[in-house]
Amino acid sequence: MKDFAGKIAVITGGGTGMGRELARQLVAEGCNVAMCDVSAEAMAETRRLCEAETLPQGLRVTTHVADVSIEAQLQRFRDELAEQQATDKIHLLFNNAGIGGGGSLFTNSREQWERTFNICWGGVYLGVRTFLPMLLKAAEGHIVNTSSVNGFWASVGMGVSHTAYSAAKFAVKGFTEALINDLRLNAPHIKCSVVMPGHIGTSIVSNSRKLQSGTESDELSETEIAQARQRMKGMGIDVAAMSDQDIQNAARERARSFLDDAPTTAAQAAKIILDGVKTEQWRILVGEDAKLLDMRVRQSPEQAYEPEFFQRFAQEAGWKLG
């Protein structure tokens, strides 16, 4: 697929981050976009940004509220898309939606763990299941599934549990790689890519906390403060003398830093992904940190979960995830 003009793209998680930037860049190339997200307000802002430049006549940008972990909501999204975009086919499917949280089997609840896993993995699986019939009807198609560097390295540092997100992203990577042959055998006009970003500047830290806690408040609950203390303690930070307000401030700074201080912006990430689709790369590493980590893990797989491995990588890549 050498260009996107006149095509129809589906983007999950289109309200913020890479999803928003994918929508903006696709629309700029003349591609119709249908996006879903759990936040109507966030999607409205994405749509406003897409329409800030006058859209070509007939180009459609539609928004649909849906939780990708719930199949019935994705099916409703598909049906609304078909009606509002006046089509029975799509050309591009970006399974991009994801959250963090629920990292530990011990210190997080089962509900938090499964919420993360069901969105990050289930949303990809259900997205493909739901939209594959519409891709089959197109002359050409491309499925783009967002994994992570945590799809080949299940950690963000030695002091932090990271099981739910990592398990989900490993599943996305394996599923997409298996799709390569499945599509060749049964739908050769459809290609697929697995996207593995490093640290990208998005609001995933703050958005994930709000989604996991079911609140729009920026203030941590007592339970979240206790979990933050445990996380920081595991990272070697002396939290004994820190007040609850100190923990609140540290959490806000962590979310700000993750967004503002990342080595790769969401806009840069979206361009790398779209360029990868155009050149039919099935494996798209996003960011120099992702490339470095991929190389390091391949070179020394037995050492990948030792403290020295992370310390050396973090120093070289400039990772300060907090």
Side-chain angles (χ1 to χ4, degrees), residues 58-89:
L59 194 71
R60 294 178 294 276
V61 179
T62 58
T63 61
H64 311 264
V65 175
D67 181 334
V68 297
S69 68
I70 301 173
E71 187 170 14
Q73 294 192 19
L74 276 177
Q75 291 170 340
R76 186 187 66 216
F77 170 28
R78 176 200 61 202
D79 295 344
E80 290 175 356
L81 176 163
E83 179 181 358
Q84 295 178 27
Q85 297 268 354
T87 185
D88 63 349
K89 59 179 165 288

Side-chain angles (χ1 to χ4, degrees), residues 6-17:
K7 305 293 195 305
I8 301 172
V10 167
I11 304 171
T12 68
T16 58

Side-chain angles (χ1 to χ4, degrees), residues 15-295:
T16 58
M18 292 196 305
R20 170 176 288 176
E21 295 303 328
L22 284 167
R24 294 181 68 183
Q25 293 181 32
L26 284 164
V27 166
E29 294 197 34
C31 185
N32 299 286
V33 167
M35 75 187 83
C36 79
D37 200 283
V38 293
S39 171
E41 293 77 11
M43 284 190 292
E45 176 62 10
T46 299
R47 183 173 180 171
R48 185 192 69 78
L49 290 168
C50 288
E51 294 174 346
E53 302 293 334
T54 304
L55 298 180
Q57 187 172 5
L59 194 71
R60 294 178 294 276
V61 179
T62 58
T63 61
H64 311 264
V65 175
D67 181 334
V68 297
S69 68
I70 301 173
E71 187 170 14
Q73 294 192 19
L74 276 177
Q75 291 170 340
R76 186 187 66 216
F77 170 28
R78 176 200 61 202
D79 295 344
E80 290 175 356
L81 176 163
E83 179 181 358
Q84 295 178 27
Q85 297 268 354
T87 185
D88 63 349
K89 59 179 165 288
I90 65 169
H91 304 88
L92 293 152
L93 172 60
F94 294 88
N95 286 308
N96 165 79
I99 64 167
S104 174
L105 290 173
F106 301 91
T107 60
N108 293 108
S109 69
R110 178 170 179 167
E111 290 73 21
Q112 288 176 321
W113 202 101
E114 293 184 357
R115 182 75 173 135
T116 297
F117 188 81
N118 291 341
I119 289 174
C120 291
W121 155 243
V124 171
Y125 168 68
L126 293 175
V128 173
R129 281 284 190 196
T130 301
F131 289 101
L132 189 57
M134 298 185 80
L135 284 162
L136 287 169
K137 291 181 179 179
E140 58 178 342
H142 205 117
I143 298 167
V144 183
N145 295 331
T146 300
S147 178
S148 165
V149 292
N150 291 132
F152 59 79
W153 185 66
S155 179
V156 287
M158 300 306 101
V160 182
S161 299
H162 202 51
T163 62
Y165 187 84
S166 296
K169 295 303 187 179
F170 265 78
V172 171
K173 178 176 179 287
F175 173 65
T176 310
E177 290 189 19
L179 266 182
I180 294 171
N181 201 47
D182 202 1
L183 291 170
R184 282 175 180 167
L185 292 170
N186 298 292
H189 69 295
I190 303 174
K191 309 299 180 186
C192 67
S193 299
V194 58
V195 174
M196 291 174 286
H199 179 190
I200 309 301
T202 72
S203 301
I204 190 171
V205 171
S206 58
N207 289 347
S208 297
R209 188 195 67 77
K210 290 177 181 178
L211 196 60
Q212 290 280 13
S213 63
T215 178
E216 286 299 310
S217 173
D218 290 323
E219 296 296 308
L220 273 62
S221 67
E222 289 185 12
T223 299
E224 289 172 323
I225 289 173
Q227 290 174 342
R229 282 186 183 276
Q230 181 132 3
R231 172 190 170 92
M232 293 166 71
K233 185 178 180 180
M235 296 172 63
I237 298 172
D238 183 5
V239 296
M242 295 179 69
S243 68
D244 286 357
Q245 188 59 52
D246 291 335
I247 300 295
Q248 295 272 11
N249 293 340
R252 278 195 291 270
E253 173 57 21
R254 175 172 172 257
R256 184 211 63 77
S257 178
F258 193 94
L259 173 63
D260 296 338
D261 300 338
T264 306
T265 68
Q268 290 168 332
K271 185 178 188 309
I272 291 167
I273 293 166
L274 294 179
D275 286 347
V277 171
K278 289 177 180 177
T279 54
E280 294 190 358
Q281 297 176 42
W282 71 262
R283 188 172 189 272
I284 304 173
L285 291 165
V286 182
E288 293 304 313
D289 55 341
K291 295 175 183 177
L292 176 62
L293 185 56
D294 179 54
M295 180 183 69

